[in-house]
Structure formats: C-alpha cells, structure tokens
Amino acid sequence: MAAKPKLHYPNGRGRMESVRWVLAAAGVEVSCLGWRRGEVPVVCWSALSPLGCLEGAVQGQTQFDEEFLETKDQLQKLQDGNHLLFQQVPMVEIDGMKLVQTRSILHYIADKHHLFGKDLKERTLIDMYVEGTLDLLELIIMHPFLKPDDQQKEVVNMAQKAIIRYFPVFEKVLRDHGQRFLVGNQLSLADIILLQTILALEEKIPNILSAFPHLQEFTVKISNIPTIKKFLEPGSKKKPPPDDIYVRTVYNLFMP
Amino acid sequence: MAAKPKLCYFRGRGRMESIRWLLAAAGVEFEEEFIETREQYEKLQKDGRLLFGQVPLVEMDGMVLTQTKAILSYLAAKYDLYGKDLKERVRVDMYADGTLDLMMMIALAAFKTPGEKEENLALVVKKAKTCYFPAFEKILKDHGEDFLVGNKFSWADIQLLEAVLMVEELDASVLSDFPLLKAFKTRISNIPTIKKFLQPGSQRKLPPDSHYVKTVRNVLQL
C-alpha cells in the first residue's frame, strides 16, 4: 500500500490549508482492509458499506500525515538536508517526491484524483477560477500578519473584493448553467478552493453571501459531499483560524 | 487558418512577459493590444472580457483567458512543453512557479518608492543567489542533461532563462558561481525561436521605466 502523503508546515492554516482541503475532499483509491479475495476494490464511503468492509476502512478521504514546523532548527534541518527545493514550505512528500509551490502541489493532487476537468478547456477554466479564488484567499492568509491598525481596514478590503470582483463571477456561472459544480458538472479543484475561501471569509464577515443565493446553495451542497462533510467535523485535520500562537510561531520560524 | 493569439496588456513586461516568452519560444506569432488609458481598461471590463476585471488577457482558440498562471499552463500543455507524464509535469510546474515568484518580485519592485525599490531588488538578487539558482544548478548537475526536465525542452527551461536574464539586468555577475546555469543560459538562448526573440525588434519588452509605472498606476488607479 502506498505511503500516505506527509505535509510539512507550521500547525495552522496558511498556505497549506488548501492542500489539506483537497486531500481530504479527494475520493481515495481503497485502503479498505476487508474486500473479499478476487473482487475489485471500489471506493468505500463508510465502514458500513454493502461490501461488508471491516474496521480499518478509510472513510473515503485521502489520509495524510503532518509534521508540524515549530522551531527554526526544524526548518534549518529541512533546508540543510535539501528537502525544500527553494528553501520554503509548504512541502508535501508524496509518491516518492518532495513537492513545493502551493499551486503545483494542488495541481498534482487534482490531476491524480480527477479534480481537474475532462479536457484541456475544462482544465483551463478550472485553473482560471482557482487562480482568482487563491488571490482572494491570499488576503485572508496575510491578514493576521498585518499591523493591528491595518487589520480592520483589510477586512473591509477583502469583503469588497469578494463582493465586487469574485462572487458575482461565480454566482453568474452557477446561475447560467444551473449545475451543482462550477465546471463540467463534476467536483473539481475550483469548487473545493471556493468553498474553503467562502467559509474562511464567513468567519470574519458572517453575512458575506447575503446577496448571492446561488453561492449560498453551492456552499451547502459542496459542504455535504461526504469527504468534505467529514473534514468539516470536529476532529478532522482542518485547522482553526490563525491565533496569536500561530502568528508568533510563523514569525519565529521565518524572520531572519 | 487559426487566428493568432491576441494579448491585451500594458506596453511593458509585468505579468504578460512570461506569456510572450512562451509563445515566442513555441514559435507562435501573436498580436498585442496595448492598454494606455483608463477608458480603454474600463471598456474591457464593461465588455466582459476580463473574468475578474484584470489583465493579462489572452484571446485564443475561441477562449478568453485571464490569470497568468492559467494562461501559461494552457500554453505549455498546448505546445507540448509540459513534460510527458504527471511526474514530469509537476516538476515543470514547480520550477516554473518558483521562477515566476522571483520575477514577480522584480515586477512589483518597480512600483515601490526609490529606497524600497533598491532594497527589494537587492533582496531579489540575494534570493536568486541563495535559493533559486543553487536549486537549478543542482538539478542540472544531478542529471547532467541539457534541459531541466525529462531531457526535453519545456516551459521550465524558457522561464528559467527569462528569470536569469532578468536578474542579470540587476547584477551582471550573478551567475559567476553557477557554471552549469551559465552553460544552460547560452544553450537555451541559442534555440532558434528564442534567439530570434532575443534580438532587437522582437515583441520582448524592456525593463519597467517611469513611463510604464505611471501608465499602469494611472490605468489601475493605484
């Protein structure tokens, strides 16, 4: 059985959170220990599946391990050992490779788990949506590292960008095709990253979706996909919003 | 006959330059529409050609493409510059993504105050020498091949050359500790399509000057 992916990052959201989301959301090839001999393994959504899976059945998600960066020494060790291509994290050990650069990691996982559309045109559309959403998510990622005086102003800025630049586009896409998913009538990287971003924004601005009924429906529907629903429950590897400890850890790790 | 790709951006490098490089290296002729006024930009937005209200914009193959990395990935896939399988593809992606980060630092520095700009550009040169160039020197050393990935010319090679030349504009001696990168630079520069692009009169753009910065600030109301 293939080793689980291993994520290297501080214990918090940052740039790694999107990777956690996509791994968690991706349906997995079976790690189910109980299939009968000679049968073709299928994705096992719950330990109570009709195949009679035994305990140890993976409930649909891609499992992954995490090594949390807490000290500068740990980071130095990774850098000195040539484990970080450009001396930076996120880094994900997966399939015998050490992947860096968030977007490259996300693309690889999406490709592997069929979350990138059915052809080049769909792929490019998904890519465009993901790139735009990641620009918005970037504001959220950087927010805790702004000076306290600038933080409130930035919440206003992110709300404006979301409501004026990004949400209307996705609202229109969903309204125009009337489908559950953004592209090609199937779950893709674009849906996962958009949901992540919407939920992160809602933590700061609870009514941010008030003018976007299709996005509200989208949020509910995508949240209810079994793998994502599980990720949204307590006890998952989803990280809480950044707190002072996280901010301090990051400063200590990365400031010269 | 397919229409030529049409690029819409300011008359300068910015986020469009890597796209120009990729098209040129692939031997694809392209047209350019230069944004010079706020009115032009607002018209683009009103016409719905800009997905998130932003440029770069590339119209080709019946599609209206925005978001730099999405455009670059599309072009790399279309012109077979993305490796032969998923494992090669992710390496091309990582290398290209890293070099793009470095080049974006240079592009953004142009918009800082003179003191900050100098500081930022010095940091770029430092990062190039300590993080990026050593990584690529090692990659070339480890496999001893002519190209970064899979012994075949790819998007990663084009972008690394672009980044090397850009950093050399800031510090001409930056490759002095990287003999393999030096050889790489010569080798890739001599690929016919790239050689042509490096000659005067091509669509390659100049480093950002004060006129360019002023135009962008004015159009984007920065």
Side-chain angles (χ1 to χ4, degrees):
Chain A
M1 193 166 70
K4 292 185 219 169
K6 191 167 176 195
L7 280 50
H8 294 262
Y9 203 71
N11 187 1
R13 291 181 181 177
R15 296 182 189 292
M16 189 62 99
E17 193 70 351
S18 300
V19 177
R20 297 182 185 108
W21 266 88
V22 179
L23 282 171
V28 73
E29 291 84 47
V30 157
S31 312
C32 173
L33 301 177
W35 70 80
R36 288 177 282 271
R37 187 190 289 275
E39 285 188 350
V40 176
V42 296
V43 175
C44 181
W45 290 109
S46 91
L48 303 172
S49 87
L51 288 181
C53 294
L54 307 176
E55 294 164 14
V58 170
Q59 295 199 11
Q61 297 180 316
T62 304
Q63 302 291 300
F64 57 90
D65 287 332
E66 299 197 80
E67 191 169 299
F68 296 122
L69 283 178
E70 267 140 16
T71 66
K72 234 182 156 77
D73 281 343
Q74 272 177 289
L75 178 62
Q76 195 67 49
K77 194 157 169 240
L78 282 176
Q79 290 170 329
D80 293 342
N82 269 311
H83 301 291
L84 306 177
L85 181 61
F86 302 124
Q87 311 304 337
Q88 295 168 319
V89 286
M91 189 269 275
V92 175
E93 291 179 82
I94 183 170
D95 299 336
M97 298 180 290
K98 296 190 167 83
L99 301 184
V100 297
Q101 300 292 137
T102 313
R103 280 163 175 81
S104 302
I105 298 167
L106 293 174
H107 284 186
Y108 179 76
I109 300 167
D111 263 321
K112 216 184 149 194
H113 294 284
H114 310 293
L115 293 167
F116 228 156
K118 70 176 193 296
D119 57 28
L120 185 54
K121 285 208 169 182
E122 281 194 356
R123 184 203 188 89
T124 303
L125 197 53
I126 291 165
D127 217 351
M128 282 169 55
Y129 294 165
V130 168
E131 286 297 304
T133 314
L134 286 176
D135 281 351
L136 182 56
L137 188 63
E138 181 77 8
L139 301 180
I140 301 168
I141 292 173
M142 296 309 297
H143 183 256
F145 301 95
L146 296 174
K147 290 198 279 262
D149 289 342
D150 293 334
Q151 285 187 6
Q152 188 45 41
K153 231 190 316 175
E154 186 62 5
V155 173
V156 173
N157 178 40
M158 8 171 135
Q160 279 181 337
K161 287 243 153 73
I163 292 170
I164 297 171
R165 177 177 281 180
Y166 296 102
F167 287 176
V169 173
F170 297 121
E171 181 77 5
K172 183 178 193 299
V173 166
L174 292 167
R175 192 178 61 232
D176 285 355
H177 63 41
Q179 291 165 2
R180 187 153 60 124
F181 305 104
L182 286 170
V183 179
N185 215 6
Q186 61 179 351
L187 182 68
S188 78
L189 188 61
D191 303 297
I192 300 165
I193 303 299
L194 180 57
L195 177 63
Q196 177 198 356
T197 304
I198 286 172
L199 295 181
L201 275 169
E202 278 185 334
E203 283 169 352
K204 296 193 188 309
I205 311 143
N207 63 346
I208 191 112
L209 285 188
S210 56
F212 303 100
H214 290 89
L215 279 178
Q216 287 174 34
E217 205 183 319
F218 170 86
T219 302
V220 171
K221 286 192 174 149
I222 306 301
S223 297
N224 277 313
I225 290 171
T227 47
I228 295 180
K229 190 171 183 171
K230 184 144 203 279
F231 187 61
L232 291 172
E233 283 163 7
S236 83
K237 295 208 164 105
K238 183 171 185 280
K239 299 294 173 276
D243 60 12
D244 288 335
I245 297 172
Y246 172 74
V247 172
R248 221 177 12 247
T249 305
V250 171
Y251 270 125
N252 288 336
L253 276 171
F254 299 116
M255 288 301 126
Chain B
M1 191 167 69
K4 291 185 207 171
K6 182 148 169 230
L7 278 51
C8 186
Y9 199 68
F10 309 102
R11 191 188 297 268
R13 291 180 178 176
R15 293 179 189 283
M16 187 63 99
E17 192 70 353
S18 293
I19 294 168
R20 297 183 184 108
W21 267 87
L22 191 40
L23 284 167
V28 178
E29 284 181 16
F30 56 92
E31 288 171 355
E32 299 197 76
E33 183 184 320
F34 296 115
I35 301 172
E36 265 135 17
T37 66
R38 175 84 192 159
E39 289 71 41
Q40 261 180 293
Y41 190 64
E42 283 175 352
K43 181 165 194 297
L44 280 170
Q45 289 175 316
K46 230 183 300 187
D47 289 349
R49 287 162 77 195
L50 308 180
L51 182 64
F52 298 117
Q54 297 166 313
V55 286
L57 165 68
V58 173
E59 290 169 301
M60 65 186 292
D61 300 339
M63 293 187 293
V64 180
L65 303 176
T66 55
Q67 298 296 134
T68 312
K69 291 183 187 196
I71 297 168
L72 288 167
S73 286
Y74 175 73
L75 294 173
K78 185 178 175 182
Y79 297 112
D80 195 26
L81 293 165
Y82 225 157
K84 71 175 192 295
D85 57 26
L86 186 51
K87 284 207 169 184
E88 283 193 356
R89 182 187 202 118
V90 73
R91 286 168 56 205
V92 174
D93 243 344
M94 283 197 289
Y95 302 165
D97 217 27
T99 46
L100 201 60
D101 280 352
L102 189 61
M103 290 192 282
M104 278 304 106
M105 284 187 245
I106 300 176
L108 292 172
F111 294 86
K112 306 270 188 233
T113 60
E116 267 182 326
K117 177 178 169 183
E118 215 176 293
E119 209 180 291
N120 285 10
L121 291 179
L123 183 61
V124 168
V125 174
K126 184 167 175 222
K127 278 214 144 145
K129 282 187 178 168
T130 56
C131 296
Y132 293 97
F133 291 175
F136 291 116
E137 184 79 5
K138 183 177 192 300
I139 288 163
L140 291 168
K141 181 159 179 237
D142 286 351
H143 62 43
E145 291 164 7
D146 283 352
F147 306 107
L148 286 171
V149 180
N151 211 9
K152 187 171 175 236
F153 184 54
S154 78
W155 172 29
D157 301 301
I158 302 165
Q159 221 161 265
L160 177 56
L161 176 62
E162 186 194 351
V164 161
L165 295 180
M166 231 187 240
V167 179
E168 274 188 330
E169 282 169 351
L170 302 175
D171 175 354
S173 71
V174 76
L175 286 189
S176 54
D177 292 332
F178 306 105
L180 294 176
L181 270 182
K182 248 198 198 142
F184 173 88
K185 173 192 154 188
T186 306
R187 197 163 56 238
I188 307 301
S189 300
N190 279 313
I191 290 172
T193 47
I194 295 183
K195 193 169 184 174
K196 192 161 178 234
F197 189 60
L198 290 172
Q199 278 160 4
S202 80
Q203 282 160 300
R204 186 174 179 225
K205 299 295 175 281
L206 297 169
D209 60 12
S210 56
H211 175 75
Y212 171 77
V213 172
K214 206 163 77 183
T215 306
V216 175
R217 279 218 167 101
N218 182 44
V219 169
L220 298 181
Q221 294 184 335
L222 294 174

